[in-house]
Amino acid sequence: MANQSANKTVVVFPGDDASPEAMNAAMEVLRALSLPINYVEFPPGDQWVRGETDVRARAAIDASDATLFGSTSGKTTAITYLRWGKETYANVRPAKWSKGYRSPMANPDGIDFVIVRENLEDLYLGLEGPLETLEPLKLHSRILRRQLDTRQHGIYAIKVITERNTRRIADFACRLAQKRKRAGGKGKLTCTSKYNMLPAADGYFRQIVQETAAKYPEIRYEQFIVDDFARRLVASPHDLDVVVMPNLYGDILSDAAAGIIGGLGLAPSGCYGENYAYFESVHGTAPDIMGMGIINPSATILSAALMLEYLDFAEAGRRLEAAVRKVYSDGRVLTPDQGGRAKTADFAREVIANL
Ligand code: ATP
């Protein structure tokens, strides 16, 4: 958790492509809350001087309590430090429907679950290369029942599941389910991975989560193979509470979860480590709508609300979330992705009016 002093420092990276437009809106809203927060703002990614900006960004992150991050297409390189440098291992992605959200579901009322995605490993370590470099390992395929033929042209990618990261993500997910239960939630943890096809790696993940969940008797535990889970996510999202999964499945399924509640423009996230956290929307940089002033800033604003809770401004975070939800229930000032004609800046003004 962040330290308890009243004045906090937050680093702001507007990100790339259309992201700075959403971030500008979120910053206007944050400023309207007049909290004792010092914002250290960096330029959009295309204005970064590689190397130099990176060094300043690291120093600013180290001196701060949290970061608010716009999405990046690779130009805002501070993301690597925020994730692996600060070991923000738990990517929390809430999917909560609110009145006025343009959900494709017939009855979205009551959908309220959180995907907890492992954020540091799995297939995301950049361990890829030509197949022939694996030759010295003489790998034996359990499926083919013979040695892998590394002479053919091909590429490998390595999936890594460590005990340390799995234990801490499992524990994080259990504590979140516990906290949600205290606030009236279902008190349920669902684990999903491909443990039938990958009994060693994904089976290990599942086993550790199950062992961890057993230490929380007040939490109900269930597990599903990820393809079965994908169907359940669409067929019965109301049954879900906290869902924990390895990195890649979490990346894919949280976009699906965003789609279920009404779209990428609505889905916030927070990435938590032992001593640091950063907050960003689930969506990417939306390059196709860059410069049009129509990106939906809700995901970024709701990520800022999660950040306020983390920084011990929980009341302000709740106010901010309630103001966003009010704009949707009123339904007058909505961006085009939600069926409206409002601009990003109009939406921000409407949120401020509802604070
Ligand atoms: P990434 O790989 O970085 O996650 P992506 O390629 O999946 O990014 P996004 O940038 O998330 O793509 O965008 C997917 C689609 O959703 C695009 O058509 C984009 O315009 C739209 N979109 C994403 N975010 C928003 C938003 N906040 N408001 C409106 N439309 C959005």
Side-chain angles (χ1 to χ4, degrees):
M1 270 288 147
N3 70 55
Q4 300 278 321
S5 73
N7 277 294
K8 307 283 181 177
T9 301
V10 165
V11 182
V12 180
F13 296 105
D16 312 334
D17 303 328
S19 270
E21 299 166 40
M23 187 61 81
N24 279 342
M27 289 309 296
E28 263 185 51
V29 174
L30 277 174
R31 288 209 178 82
L33 283 166
S34 301
L35 295 165
I37 297 177
N38 170 36
Y39 296 103
V40 179
E41 295 181 62
F42 276 75
D46 54 4
Q47 294 169 31
W48 274 45
V49 182
R50 284 255 170 147
E52 186 216 315
T53 322
D54 248 337
V55 172
R56 283 194 291 116
R58 280 175 181 233
I61 292 165
D62 284 341
S64 72
D65 296 289
T67 286
L68 187 59
F69 195 83
S71 312
T72 181
S73 53
K75 296 176 200 132
T76 308
T77 48
I79 189 68
T80 311
Y81 187 62
L82 283 168
R83 216 158 150 179
W84 287 277
K86 303 305 272 185
E87 288 199 37
T88 44
Y89 63 89
N91 185 356
V92 173
R93 298 183 150 188
K96 180 175 172 186
W97 185 80
S98 202
K99 185 167 171 254
Y101 281 13
R102 215 178 180 201
S103 167
M105 309 297 283
N107 174 26
D109 196 9
I111 296 176
D112 180 5
F113 62 93
V114 183
I115 289 181
V116 178
R117 164 194 175 197
E118 195 288 317
N119 210 26
L120 301 179
E121 51 192 31
D122 190 357
L123 277 163
Y124 286 59
L125 288 170
L127 301 171
E128 298 178 290
L131 207 47
E132 68 235 33
T133 55
L134 296 180
E135 174 58 24
L137 296 178
K138 309 268 180 250
L139 291 175
H140 187 268
S141 162
R142 180 174 50 81
I143 304 295
L144 302 174
R145 294 169 187 266
R146 60 172 163 75
Q147 195 178 313
L148 181 69
D149 178 6
T150 49
R151 288 163 307 178
Q152 50 185 329
H153 275 293
I155 303 293
Y156 70 85
I158 290 181
K159 172 173 183 128
V160 174
I161 303 285
T162 64
E163 178 177 2
R164 175 167 183 254
N165 277 335
T166 310
R167 286 213 186 280
R168 58 183 177 173
I169 191 83
D171 202 59
F172 186 101
C174 288
R175 281 184 279 123
L176 181 60
Q178 207 176 37
K179 182 176 161 201
R180 284 168 62 86
K181 188 174 184 185
R182 281 199 292 268
K186 298 181 192 74
K188 182 158 91 165
L189 178 68
T190 307
C191 174
T192 185
S193 68
K194 191 77 183 170
Y195 47 83
N196 55 340
M197 277 306 287
L198 298 167
D202 280 15
Y204 190 50
F205 185 92
R206 183 205 60 76
Q207 177 205 324
I208 290 177
V209 174
Q210 189 173 17
E211 279 169 20
T212 309
K215 295 180 192 150
Y216 293 80
E218 72 279 31
I219 303 298
R220 277 183 295 139
Y221 174 76
E222 62 183 16
Q223 58 193 31
F224 301 109
I225 295 167
V226 68
D227 39 343
D228 178 30
F229 175 79
R231 178 189 60 76
R232 288 168 189 272
L233 175 66
V234 175
S236 45
H238 296 83
D239 293 346
L240 300 173
D241 183 13
V242 175
V243 191
V244 64
M245 61 190 83
N247 205 337
L248 176 65
Y249 311 132
D251 190 0
I252 298 166
L253 293 171
S254 50
D255 267 37
I260 285 170
I261 59 161
L264 282 169
L266 304 167
S269 92
C271 298
Y272 301 80
E274 312 286 358
N275 303 306
Y276 199 79
Y278 74 93
F279 299 82
E280 63 174 346
S281 63
V282 167
H283 65 73
T285 62
D288 52 331
I289 54 171
M290 175 182 167
M292 294 165 73
I294 56 162
I295 188 167
N296 185 344
S298 303
T300 311
I301 296 172
L302 292 171
S303 301
L306 292 175
M307 180 183 79
L308 294 181
E309 187 195 351
Y310 173 76
L311 293 174
D312 292 326
F313 297 118
E315 176 53 35
R318 276 192 293 274
R319 256 179 81 201
L320 184 49
E321 186 184 333
V324 171
R325 297 193 190 281
K326 178 79 166 55
V327 177
Y328 281 94
S329 62
D330 289 349
R332 281 180 290 105
V333 185
L334 302 180
T335 46
D337 59 300
Q338 294 298 308
R341 285 196 301 203
K343 295 280 194 177
T344 310
D346 302 329
F347 184 92
R349 272 192 293 275
E350 191 67 5
V351 173
I352 291 168
N354 279 297
L355 277 174

